[in-house]
Amino acid sequence: MSIINIILHNEAFIFFGRFCVVNSPVFKYMPEVKHIIATPIGKIAIHAGDEAINAVLFIKQDANTPVSEISSHPLINLCAGQLKEYFAGERKNFDLPLQQKGSPFQQNVWEQLLKINYGKTISYLELSKRVGDAKAIRAVGTTNGKNQIAIIVPCHRVIGSDGSLTGYAGELWRKKWLLEHEGKYANGVQTLF
């Protein structure tokens, strides 16, 4: 079972191996909502449907899109709060229901991305091996670039075999920032005196 695919059973779903009841009126019949938050690396748009986060996307730097602290959507507020904790170095893992459309191959790639530990990186070749086909490196790279849930599905943790920061839909300077940020907090913040 893919942890990216949301499996609906009796008005409940499973995500990240956890079973969550969503038959609360708060989660029912909510249209897809988009919410903009400010982060240290620019504005991010969070998209959510009835029961899952559908996208976390960077917004172009020159966009005059307004930012707001609170959304009317409980999942967006939960996501925004967890992203805020991530940027503060207080969160290493996300606990959110996720759903993005894709083929079984794409779902497998995104599932493997979720298994890359905070503060660690792997190569595109290693990712293709984890998917089950070392020869699918280009397809894996393309799918990595199509990930619509930035940071949470950590496509930024995939680098070139030579250690280079290759390809990132959110721009390479953000990928570098995210990896440095995670490296700084991976083993706890070091303080002197």
Side-chain angles (χ1 to χ4, degrees):
M1 176 187 317
S2 171
I3 57 179
I4 295 288
N5 286 328
I6 306 304
I7 312 300
L8 295 174
H9 293 288
N10 298 327
E11 298 186 14
F13 60 84
I14 300 168
F15 69 99
F16 298 105
R18 294 182 180 89
F19 186 77
C20 298
V21 177
V22 292
N23 59 1
S24 160
V26 174
F27 287 99
K28 285 291 198 178
Y29 312 111
M30 207 170 277
E32 181 161 304
V33 176
K34 176 178 155 183
H35 185 76
I36 311 296
I37 63 168
T39 74
I41 53 175
K43 295 176 185 174
I44 291 179
I46 303 169
H47 297 251
D50 289 347
E51 298 165 341
I53 299 298
N54 304 118
V56 174
L57 304 167
F58 295 106
I59 296 176
K60 291 185 179 183
Q61 292 294 351
D62 59 349
N64 290 325
T65 310
V67 173
S68 62
E69 292 295 318
I70 299 174
S71 169
S72 62
H73 195 298
L75 281 177
I76 286 182
N77 288 330
L78 182 62
C79 182
Q82 289 188 20
L83 284 167
K84 184 177 180 180
E85 292 168 353
Y86 170 86
F87 284 113
E90 299 166 356
R91 176 171 290 275
K92 295 179 181 178
N93 299 300
F94 292 90
D95 190 14
L96 298 163
L98 307 174
Q99 184 178 37
Q100 59 180 320
K101 294 178 183 174
S103 69
F105 176 82
Q106 290 171 321
Q107 297 293 332
N108 187 18
V109 171
W110 296 327
E111 182 177 334
Q112 296 307 314
L113 291 172
L114 289 167
K115 295 177 182 178
I116 305 171
N117 291 331
Y118 179 93
K120 303 291 183 188
T121 59
I122 65 169
S123 69
Y124 288 95
L125 177 59
E126 175 61 26
L127 181 57
S128 64
K129 288 177 182 177
R130 290 183 183 189
V131 167
D133 186 357
K135 294 179 182 177
I137 192 167
R138 287 187 185 194
V140 164
T142 299
T143 298
N144 194 53
K146 290 182 178 181
N147 173 34
Q148 295 291 297
I149 306 177
I151 302 170
I152 297 166
V153 177
C155 56
H156 62 278
R157 296 182 189 153
V158 183
I159 60 174
S161 295
D162 63 357
S164 62
L165 300 182
T166 59
Y168 188 61
E171 299 183 46
L172 286 179
W173 70 269
R174 283 192 182 104
K175 183 172 188 169
K176 182 177 188 266
W177 191 98
L178 291 166
L179 293 175
E180 288 175 352
H181 172 74
E182 290 182 6
K184 182 169 123 180
Y185 290 103
N187 298 311
V189 177
Q190 303 289 323
T191 56
L192 300 173
F193 307 100

